[in-house]
Amino acid sequence: MAKITFPVEASHIMMFARSVDDPNPVYHDAEAAAKTEVGGIIAPPTFPQSVAQFDPDYFLRPKHGQKWFGSAKGPTGITEKPASSGGLHAEQHFEYHRPLRPGDVLSVETKAGTTWEKESKRAGKLVFSERITEYRDQHGELVCTARSVGVRTEKPVAQS
Amino acid sequence: MALKKSQLTIGATHSERVIENLARTQLVMYAGTSGDYNPLHTDDLYTKEIAGYPGVFAHGMLTMGLTGKMLTNYVGDGRLKKFGVRFTNQVWPGDSLDSTATVAAIREESGEWVVDLTISTTNQDGKEVVSGTATARIDA
């Protein structure tokens, strides 16, 4: 997959922290953050996943001139079966070498990992696939590695 | 506000209520910041009629983010070395979630002290929605 450039910005960090209901000043108040151990604003631990915003081809974002599979006039905007139907997030793992800070410009590369299958009572056949993402900073240093496991289910997960 | 090795014991826990009565608007906010606009999380009509679920549900990464709030409140800012989770059950609008970290080990790693934590986030019915582990730097 192509490398993605991910500029880390203070306003994005502030909005991201709000979206995970985290009022910690270290994510939005430069003055307060300067007095902490980290010495300035940093990003919350799950922020690296927001690289999706900078992936021009990210498939879970409506794109100019393309049909979107979410509802509009009808319950879906496309006629074929939605590509993402049944796709869920099974696992997510981060390894951090240092916190991300506003002003960082990350170079992000994702590689496919292994895939495996499993039978489940609640959702039929499950197909798992792994993706490894490396985040490098403007000096080429590895700052974060993410391992994500997605699962495609044969049918919607039964609610117990 | 880092943890100190001398103050930690194996089996010690830290818990927080990380969200009360999860609002659908919170899911919209998370879609907007993360860039994950999967209609499963914001579009009830699609989710019911096309995907076959009772309604929109939270992004796994929102639940991980809420769990991360508990974690950074406990271990301090910029102290995490590792944070990993499995999403074990879906989280729905109206859910209230509690996250707990339990001290599993205190050890030395590449010349610094770290704590290994096991993590669990449960909903108001006691059902686990996230299980995981984390490692954080601590002061000697």
Side-chain angles (χ1 to χ4, degrees), chain A residues 23-87:
Chain A
N24 188 338
V26 81
Y27 303 136
H28 66 264
D29 183 337
E31 217 172 292
K35 294 179 194 141
T36 67
E37 186 187 30
V38 289
I41 286 175
I42 60 170
T46 60
F47 182 78
Q49 191 82 350
S50 295
V51 66
Q53 297 279 16
F54 300 93
D55 178 353
D57 302 320
Y58 189 62
F59 74 109
L60 293 173
R61 176 179 65 236
K63 289 181 203 69
H64 177 75
Q66 291 179 26
K67 285 183 179 169
W68 175 241
F69 66 94
S71 71
K73 221 168 235 171
T76 179
I78 60 173
T79 45
E80 64 274 27
K81 193 171 162 56
S84 86
S85 168

Side-chain angles (χ1 to χ4, degrees), chain B residues 53-69:
Chain B
Y53 286 101
V56 295
F57 54 92
H59 302 73
M61 289 306 293
L62 170 56
T63 309
M64 187 179 190
L66 294 169
T67 302
K69 167 173 66 170

Side-chain angles (χ1 to χ4, degrees), chain A residues 12 15 18-21 24 37 53 58 60 68 71 89-92 94 96 122 156-157 159-160, chain B residues 26 32-33 35 37 43 46 51 53 62 66 69 77 79 81-87 89-90 92 127:
Chain A
H12 191 190
M15 292 187 284
R18 286 178 182 163
S19 77
V20 293
D21 190 38
N24 188 338
E37 186 187 30
Q53 297 279 16
Y58 189 62
L60 293 173
W68 175 241
S71 71
H89 201 167
E91 291 180 41
Q92 181 71 30
F94 292 105
Y96 307 102
R122 288 168 65 198
V157 181
Q159 304 305 313
S160 50
Chain B
Q26 193 75 43
T33 62
Y37 299 97
D43 184 339
Y46 166 86
Y53 286 101
L62 170 56
L66 294 169
K69 167 173 66 170
D77 302 322
R79 288 272 174 164
K81 295 186 73 162
K82 279 185 182 175
F83 178 24
V85 301
R86 286 179 57 223
F87 304 104
N89 277 292
Q90 283 157 293
W92 304 93
K127 194 190 254 189

Side-chain angles (χ1 to χ4, degrees), chain B:
Chain B
M1 288 256 294
L3 293 173
K4 277 196 170 59
K5 182 176 160 258
S6 56
Q7 293 166 347
L8 286 172
T9 51
I10 307 292
T13 61
H14 170 84
S15 291
E16 283 180 29
R17 162 93 9 139
V18 293
I19 197 80
E20 183 83 40
N21 191 19
L22 176 64
R24 287 172 182 80
T25 305
Q26 193 75 43
L27 310 191
V28 173
M29 287 170 78
Y30 190 77
T33 62
S34 66
D36 180 345
Y37 299 97
N38 193 331
L40 289 176
H41 307 304
T42 56
D43 184 339
D44 238 22
L45 185 62
Y46 166 86
T47 305
K48 284 178 179 162
E49 295 197 16
I50 303 295
Y53 286 101
V56 295
F57 54 92
H59 302 73
M61 289 306 293
L62 170 56
T63 309
M64 187 179 190
L66 294 169
T67 302
K69 167 173 66 170
M70 173 281 295
L71 206 50
T72 49
N73 285 343
Y74 183 42
V75 304
D77 302 322
R79 288 272 174 164
L80 278 179
K81 295 186 73 162
K82 279 185 182 175
F83 178 24
V85 301
R86 286 179 57 223
F87 304 104
T88 51
N89 277 292
Q90 283 157 293
V91 171
W92 304 93
D95 279 357
S96 294
L97 304 180
D98 295 298
S99 291
T100 302
T102 305
V103 175
I106 300 158
R107 61 189 174 84
E108 243 179 317
E109 183 181 271
S110 10
E112 56 187 6
W113 285 96
V114 298
V115 61
D116 290 325
L117 302 166
T118 57
I119 297 160
S120 176
T121 298
T122 53
N123 68 14
Q124 63 286 348
D125 302 321
K127 194 190 254 189
E128 190 169 65
V129 294
V130 149
S131 72
T133 56
T135 300
R137 289 185 297 114
I138 55 173
D139 289 341

